[in-house]
Amino acid sequence: VPPYLLGQKVLSVNLSDIAAMGGMPRFALLSLVLRSTISIEWVDTFLEGFRRQARQYQVDVIGGNLAHTQGELILDVTVVGEIKRERLLLRNQASIGDLIMVTGFLGDAGAGLKILLEEQPINAKRNQYLLNRYFLPDPRIEVGKILADSDFQMSLIDVSDGFTQDLGHIIKQSRVGAVIESEKIPLSNPLRLWCSEHGYDPLDFALSGGEDYELIFTVSPREASSLQKEIQQKTGVPVSIVGEITDGDRLHIRKNDEEMVFHSHGWNHFSS
């Protein structure tokens, strides 16, 4: 990963954690654990990318640490955010009958990572788009703020480890089930075209790819439409209704009028 883009990404993925609770980011701390072979030029370029992202989201970088290692490079970021106490949005507030909504498109970043790992040629605009979605995630800070400013009960999480895996956290902590309509999963045209060319199912990337850093939230049907319109009008970010919270404790996927239990899989930091 080019250091300038890496500097932006390591801050963005942490900003997304703040967005996923409806908060506004305020401060960041950055700790670097570096090998002595890392050049000053690499570090300067990385920090330039980090500072650019901090300026864009009005985050003050207030400190951190620097240490040496003979092992792998470690970039450790902490972000401090702020929210009204009564509007802290958590994962355990989903209710039976709520609609499941998601911002943006799913699966692009997973496809971008595959292009990168397989060293596929970047000779098409769609390949560059997918790579950009992997390199430059867009934390949905403004969407999170709109959700927090509403008076609606909801659960909220970001898509870091995979859509079904992260939705699974809402299901588990809210003690509910869910049904997802596969045809309603938002897929970008570049992902569809790339998957068609390479013989992949875009749903595989959308459901389990991870690193999209979109927001999943659940809200009552009577409030979903107005919230959807407000987000799209104020931020330009598309919002899709992809399913419904049900009783039970399982995640089901409905495809071609058939419903099946889906055993969510995505990135697990301790077993993957």
Side-chain angles (χ1 to χ4, degrees), residues 69-100:
T69 181
Q70 295 181 344
E72 296 295 329
L73 178 72
I74 297 173
L75 312 169
D76 185 50
V77 180
T78 297
V79 175
V80 179
E82 183 180 34
I83 193 169
K84 293 178 182 177
R85 186 185 304 273
E86 66 276 10
R87 287 303 292 166
L88 180 63
L89 301 182
L90 303 174
R91 306 171 181 183
N92 62 358
Q93 296 297 307
S95 299
I96 295 171
D98 282 357
L99 297 181
I100 301 167

mmCIF file of all heavy atoms in Angstrom, residues 69-100:
data_model
loop_
_atom_site.group_PDB
_atom_site.id
_atom_site.type_symbol
_atom_site.label_atom_id
_atom_site.label_comp_id
_atom_site.label_asym_id
_atom_site.label_seq_id
_atom_site.Cartn_x
_atom_site.Cartn_y
_atom_site.Cartn_z
ATOM 1 N N THR A 69 11.260 -1.701 16.242
ATOM 2 C CA THR A 69 11.035 -3.142 16.237
ATOM 3 C C THR A 69 11.921 -3.790 15.183
ATOM 4 O O THR A 69 12.306 -3.144 14.204
ATOM 5 C CB THR A 69 9.559 -3.479 15.935
ATOM 6 O OG1 THR A 69 9.385 -4.893 15.972
ATOM 7 C CG2 THR A 69 9.148 -2.990 14.550
ATOM 8 N N GLN A 70 12.226 -5.054 15.407
ATOM 9 C CA GLN A 70 12.891 -5.839 14.378
ATOM 10 C C GLN A 70 11.880 -6.706 13.634
ATOM 11 O O GLN A 70 12.239 -7.446 12.728
ATOM 12 C CB GLN A 70 13.976 -6.720 15.004
ATOM 13 C CG GLN A 70 15.110 -5.912 15.615
ATOM 14 C CD GLN A 70 16.193 -6.799 16.226
ATOM 15 O OE1 GLN A 70 15.975 -7.983 16.461
ATOM 16 N NE2 GLN A 70 17.353 -6.209 16.469
ATOM 17 N N GLY A 71 10.616 -6.608 14.042
ATOM 18 C CA GLY A 71 9.561 -7.401 13.424
ATOM 19 C C GLY A 71 8.731 -6.591 12.444
ATOM 20 O O GLY A 71 9.246 -5.727 11.733
ATOM 21 N N GLU A 72 7.415 -6.859 12.455
ATOM 22 C CA GLU A 72 6.518 -6.223 11.503
ATOM 23 C C GLU A 72 6.217 -4.771 11.900
ATOM 24 O O GLU A 72 6.193 -4.418 13.068
ATOM 25 C CB GLU A 72 5.199 -7.004 11.418
ATOM 26 C CG GLU A 72 5.354 -8.425 10.881
ATOM 27 C CD GLU A 72 5.815 -8.455 9.439
ATOM 28 O OE1 GLU A 72 5.471 -7.527 8.686
ATOM 29 O OE2 GLU A 72 6.523 -9.403 9.058
ATOM 30 N N LEU A 73 5.949 -3.960 10.873
ATOM 31 C CA LEU A 73 5.530 -2.575 11.052
ATOM 32 C C LEU A 73 4.184 -2.530 11.775
ATOM 33 O O LEU A 73 3.281 -3.301 11.464
ATOM 34 C CB LEU A 73 5.391 -1.936 9.664
ATOM 35 C CG LEU A 73 4.908 -0.503 9.558
ATOM 36 C CD1 LEU A 73 5.980 0.445 10.038
ATOM 37 C CD2 LEU A 73 4.524 -0.201 8.116
ATOM 38 N N ILE A 74 4.050 -1.661 12.779
ATOM 39 C CA ILE A 74 2.794 -1.498 13.508
ATOM 40 C C ILE A 74 2.400 -0.023 13.478
ATOM 41 O O ILE A 74 3.191 0.854 13.819
ATOM 42 C CB ILE A 74 2.921 -1.961 14.971
ATOM 43 C CG1 ILE A 74 3.242 -3.458 15.037
ATOM 44 C CG2 ILE A 74 1.627 -1.664 15.740
ATOM 45 C CD1 ILE A 74 3.558 -3.947 16.441
ATOM 46 N N LEU A 75 1.162 0.234 13.038
ATOM 47 C CA LEU A 75 0.603 1.581 13.007
ATOM 48 C C LEU A 75 -0.623 1.562 13.910
ATOM 49 O O LEU A 75 -1.635 0.959 13.573
ATOM 50 C CB LEU A 75 0.205 1.965 11.577
ATOM 51 C CG LEU A 75 1.261 1.687 10.499
ATOM 52 C CD1 LEU A 75 0.679 1.836 9.112
ATOM 53 C CD2 LEU A 75 2.456 2.612 10.682
ATOM 54 N N ASP A 76 -0.534 2.200 15.054
ATOM 55 C CA ASP A 76 -1.578 2.103 16.077
ATOM 56 C C ASP A 76 -2.246 3.460 16.251
ATOM 57 O O ASP A 76 -1.584 4.443 16.575
ATOM 58 C CB ASP A 76 -0.959 1.636 17.398
ATOM 59 C CG ASP A 76 -2.003 1.398 18.462
ATOM 60 O OD1 ASP A 76 -2.984 0.697 18.177
ATOM 61 O OD2 ASP A 76 -1.841 1.923 19.569
ATOM 62 N N VAL A 77 -3.562 3.499 16.017
ATOM 63 C CA VAL A 77 -4.303 4.756 16.046
ATOM 64 C C VAL A 77 -5.415 4.680 17.086
ATOM 65 O O VAL A 77 -6.119 3.670 17.187
ATOM 66 C CB VAL A 77 -4.920 5.066 14.669
ATOM 67 C CG1 VAL A 77 -5.695 6.389 14.711
ATOM 68 C CG2 VAL A 77 -3.846 5.113 13.591
ATOM 69 N N THR A 78 -5.559 5.738 17.862
ATOM 70 C CA THR A 78 -6.702 5.905 18.760
ATOM 71 C C THR A 78 -7.409 7.197 18.387
ATOM 72 O O THR A 78 -6.759 8.230 18.219
ATOM 73 C CB THR A 78 -6.253 5.969 20.230
ATOM 74 O OG1 THR A 78 -5.634 4.730 20.591
ATOM 75 C CG2 THR A 78 -7.442 6.219 21.149
ATOM 76 N N VAL A 79 -8.732 7.128 18.227
ATOM 77 C CA VAL A 79 -9.524 8.327 17.938
ATOM 78 C C VAL A 79 -10.502 8.544 19.089
ATOM 79 O O VAL A 79 -11.144 7.604 19.555
ATOM 80 C CB VAL A 79 -10.285 8.202 16.605
ATOM 81 C CG1 VAL A 79 -11.203 9.407 16.398
ATOM 82 C CG2 VAL A 79 -9.313 8.096 15.439
ATOM 83 N N VAL A 80 -10.595 9.773 19.534
ATOM 84 C CA VAL A 80 -11.546 10.157 20.577
ATOM 85 C C VAL A 80 -12.674 10.944 19.919
ATOM 86 O O VAL A 80 -12.423 11.905 19.184
ATOM 87 C CB VAL A 80 -10.866 11.020 21.660
ATOM 88 C CG1 VAL A 80 -11.883 11.438 22.727
ATOM 89 C CG2 VAL A 80 -9.708 10.258 22.287
ATOM 90 N N GLY A 81 -13.907 10.518 20.174
ATOM 91 C CA GLY A 81 -15.060 11.198 19.607
ATOM 92 C C GLY A 81 -15.983 11.731 20.686
ATOM 93 O O GLY A 81 -15.787 11.482 21.877
ATOM 94 N N GLU A 82 -16.992 12.463 20.246
ATOM 95 C CA GLU A 82 -17.919 13.112 21.179
ATOM 96 C C GLU A 82 -19.350 12.893 20.708
ATOM 97 O O GLU A 82 -19.632 12.902 19.510
ATOM 98 C CB GLU A 82 -17.615 14.610 21.233
ATOM 99 C CG GLU A 82 -18.458 15.402 22.206
ATOM 100 C CD GLU A 82 -18.090 16.868 22.202
ATOM 101 O OE1 GLU A 82 -17.726 17.409 21.129
ATOM 102 O OE2 GLU A 82 -18.161 17.485 23.275
ATOM 103 N N ILE A 83 -20.251 12.688 21.658
ATOM 104 C CA ILE A 83 -21.663 12.517 21.336
ATOM 105 C C ILE A 83 -22.498 12.922 22.544
ATOM 106 O O ILE A 83 -22.017 12.886 23.682
ATOM 107 C CB ILE A 83 -21.960 11.040 20.943
ATOM 108 C CG1 ILE A 83 -23.335 10.939 20.301
ATOM 109 C CG2 ILE A 83 -21.833 10.108 22.129
ATOM 110 C CD1 ILE A 83 -23.600 9.601 19.665
ATOM 111 N N LYS A 84 -23.749 13.296 22.282
ATOM 112 C CA LYS A 84 -24.667 13.545 23.387
ATOM 113 C C LYS A 84 -24.938 12.230 24.109
ATOM 114 O O LYS A 84 -25.193 11.203 23.478
ATOM 115 C CB LYS A 84 -25.977 14.128 22.857
ATOM 116 C CG LYS A 84 -25.835 15.513 22.257
ATOM 117 C CD LYS A 84 -27.174 16.011 21.706
ATOM 118 C CE LYS A 84 -27.019 17.377 21.065
ATOM 119 N NZ LYS A 84 -28.304 17.840 20.460
ATOM 120 N N ARG A 85 -24.864 12.264 25.422
ATOM 121 C CA ARG A 85 -24.974 11.047 26.219
ATOM 122 C C ARG A 85 -26.240 10.252 25.891
ATOM 123 O O ARG A 85 -26.214 9.028 25.783
ATOM 124 C CB ARG A 85 -24.951 11.398 27.709
ATOM 125 C CG ARG A 85 -24.919 10.190 28.628
ATOM 126 C CD ARG A 85 -25.013 10.629 30.078
ATOM 127 N NE ARG A 85 -23.958 11.573 30.437
ATOM 128 C CZ ARG A 85 -22.752 11.205 30.858
ATOM 129 N NH1 ARG A 85 -22.461 9.913 30.983
ATOM 130 N NH2 ARG A 85 -21.843 12.101 31.184
ATOM 131 N N GLU A 86 -27.357 10.951 25.689
ATOM 132 C CA GLU A 86 -28.626 10.254 25.481
ATOM 133 C C GLU A 86 -28.777 9.718 24.056
ATOM 134 O O GLU A 86 -29.742 9.029 23.744
ATOM 135 C CB GLU A 86 -29.807 11.181 25.803
ATOM 136 C CG GLU A 86 -29.967 12.371 24.881
ATOM 137 C CD GLU A 86 -29.094 13.553 25.276
ATOM 138 O OE1 GLU A 86 -28.215 13.382 26.161
ATOM 139 O OE2 GLU A 86 -29.286 14.643 24.695
ATOM 140 N N ARG A 87 -27.814 10.027 23.158
ATOM 141 C CA ARG A 87 -27.912 9.563 21.777
ATOM 142 C C ARG A 87 -26.718 8.703 21.374
ATOM 143 O O ARG A 87 -26.331 8.676 20.205
ATOM 144 C CB ARG A 87 -28.060 10.749 20.824
ATOM 145 C CG ARG A 87 -29.419 11.403 20.877
ATOM 146 C CD ARG A 87 -30.534 10.403 20.593
ATOM 147 N NE ARG A 87 -30.528 9.929 19.214
ATOM 148 C CZ ARG A 87 -31.209 8.878 18.798
ATOM 149 N NH1 ARG A 87 -31.924 8.163 19.649
ATOM 150 N NH2 ARG A 87 -31.157 8.513 17.525
ATOM 151 N N LEU A 88 -26.147 7.996 22.317
ATOM 152 C CA LEU A 88 -25.087 7.045 22.005
ATOM 153 C C LEU A 88 -25.722 5.845 21.302
ATOM 154 O O LEU A 88 -26.538 5.135 21.882
ATOM 155 C CB LEU A 88 -24.396 6.598 23.295
ATOM 156 C CG LEU A 88 -23.262 5.588 23.147
ATOM 157 C CD1 LEU A 88 -22.120 6.176 22.337
ATOM 158 C CD2 LEU A 88 -22.766 5.151 24.514
ATOM 159 N N LEU A 89 -25.375 5.621 20.045
ATOM 160 C CA LEU A 89 -26.008 4.578 19.241
ATOM 161 C C LEU A 89 -25.201 3.283 19.341
ATOM 162 O O LEU A 89 -24.028 3.247 18.968
ATOM 163 C CB LEU A 89 -26.137 5.043 17.792
ATOM 164 C CG LEU A 89 -26.952 6.331 17.598
ATOM 165 C CD1 LEU A 89 -27.052 6.683 16.124
ATOM 166 C CD2 LEU A 89 -28.334 6.212 18.220
ATOM 167 N N LEU A 90 -25.850 2.243 19.821
ATOM 168 C CA LEU A 90 -25.180 0.963 20.086
ATOM 169 C C LEU A 90 -25.722 -0.134 19.178
ATOM 170 O O LEU A 90 -26.569 0.097 18.322
ATOM 171 C CB LEU A 90 -25.371 0.595 21.564
ATOM 172 C CG LEU A 90 -24.880 1.644 22.570
ATOM 173 C CD1 LEU A 90 -25.260 1.232 23.984
ATOM 174 C CD2 LEU A 90 -23.376 1.847 22.451
ATOM 175 N N ARG A 91 -25.247 -1.361 19.406
ATOM 176 C CA ARG A 91 -25.635 -2.491 18.566
ATOM 177 C C ARG A 91 -26.808 -3.276 19.127
ATOM 178 O O ARG A 91 -27.286 -4.196 18.474
ATOM 179 C CB ARG A 91 -24.433 -3.443 18.422
ATOM 180 C CG ARG A 91 -23.168 -2.776 17.921
ATOM 181 C CD ARG A 91 -21.984 -3.726 18.006
ATOM 182 N NE ARG A 91 -20.755 -3.092 17.552
ATOM 183 C CZ ARG A 91 -19.586 -3.710 17.477
ATOM 184 N NH1 ARG A 91 -19.493 -4.987 17.846
ATOM 185 N NH2 ARG A 91 -18.517 -3.074 17.051
ATOM 186 N N ASN A 92 -27.279 -2.923 20.304
ATOM 187 C CA ASN A 92 -28.253 -3.769 21.001
ATOM 188 C C ASN A 92 -29.660 -3.186 21.026
ATOM 189 O O ASN A 92 -30.458 -3.514 21.892
ATOM 190 C CB ASN A 92 -27.782 -4.022 22.436
ATOM 191 C CG ASN A 92 -27.664 -2.743 23.256
ATOM 192 O OD1 ASN A 92 -27.903 -1.655 22.735
ATOM 193 N ND2 ASN A 92 -27.290 -2.878 24.514
ATOM 194 N N GLN A 93 -29.972 -2.304 20.058
ATOM 195 C CA GLN A 93 -31.258 -1.613 20.081
ATOM 196 C C GLN A 93 -32.183 -2.027 18.935
ATOM 197 O O GLN A 93 -33.177 -1.350 18.676
ATOM 198 C CB GLN A 93 -31.027 -0.099 20.030
ATOM 199 C CG GLN A 93 -30.296 0.458 21.239
ATOM 200 C CD GLN A 93 -31.081 0.263 22.520
ATOM 201 O OE1 GLN A 93 -32.244 0.636 22.616
ATOM 202 N NE2 GLN A 93 -30.454 -0.355 23.508
ATOM 203 N N ALA A 94 -31.885 -3.119 18.238
ATOM 204 C CA ALA A 94 -32.759 -3.577 17.156
ATOM 205 C C ALA A 94 -33.994 -4.253 17.733
ATOM 206 O O ALA A 94 -33.912 -5.002 18.708
ATOM 207 C CB ALA A 94 -32.014 -4.542 16.247
ATOM 208 N N SER A 95 -35.158 -3.990 17.114
ATOM 209 C CA SER A 95 -36.416 -4.575 17.556
ATOM 210 C C SER A 95 -37.061 -5.341 16.404
ATOM 211 O O SER A 95 -36.874 -4.989 15.225
ATOM 212 C CB SER A 95 -37.383 -3.485 18.041
ATOM 213 O OG SER A 95 -36.838 -2.775 19.130
ATOM 214 N N ILE A 96 -37.834 -6.363 16.748
ATOM 215 C CA ILE A 96 -38.529 -7.151 15.735
ATOM 216 C C ILE A 96 -39.428 -6.235 14.907
ATOM 217 O O ILE A 96 -40.168 -5.425 15.444
ATOM 218 C CB ILE A 96 -39.354 -8.266 16.393
ATOM 219 C CG1 ILE A 96 -38.425 -9.257 17.095
ATOM 220 C CG2 ILE A 96 -40.214 -8.997 15.366
ATOM 221 C CD1 ILE A 96 -39.144 -10.274 17.960
ATOM 222 N N GLY A 97 -39.331 -6.353 13.597
ATOM 223 C CA GLY A 97 -40.085 -5.500 12.680
ATOM 224 C C GLY A 97 -39.290 -4.338 12.127
ATOM 225 O O GLY A 97 -39.690 -3.727 11.133
ATOM 226 N N ASP A 98 -38.159 -4.000 12.759
ATOM 227 C CA ASP A 98 -37.297 -2.946 12.223
ATOM 228 C C ASP A 98 -36.804 -3.309 10.827
ATOM 229 O O ASP A 98 -36.587 -4.493 10.515
ATOM 230 C CB ASP A 98 -36.076 -2.732 13.121
ATOM 231 C CG ASP A 98 -36.380 -1.928 14.365
ATOM 232 O OD1 ASP A 98 -37.524 -1.479 14.516
ATOM 233 O OD2 ASP A 98 -35.460 -1.770 15.200
ATOM 234 N N LEU A 99 -36.595 -2.294 10.013
ATOM 235 C CA LEU A 99 -35.971 -2.496 8.705
ATOM 236 C C LEU A 99 -34.458 -2.372 8.842
ATOM 237 O O LEU A 99 -33.954 -1.595 9.659
ATOM 238 C CB LEU A 99 -36.495 -1.476 7.701
ATOM 239 C CG LEU A 99 -37.996 -1.560 7.391
ATOM 240 C CD1 LEU A 99 -38.390 -0.517 6.352
ATOM 241 C CD2 LEU A 99 -38.389 -2.948 6.929
ATOM 242 N N ILE A 100 -33.745 -3.155 8.039
ATOM 243 C CA ILE A 100 -32.279 -3.126 8.031
ATOM 244 C C ILE A 100 -31.839 -2.279 6.846
ATOM 245 O O ILE A 100 -32.226 -2.543 5.703
ATOM 246 C CB ILE A 100 -31.702 -4.542 7.913
ATOM 247 C CG1 ILE A 100 -32.175 -5.404 9.093
ATOM 248 C CG2 ILE A 100 -30.166 -4.500 7.861
ATOM 249 C CD1 ILE A 100 -31.924 -6.887 8.898
#
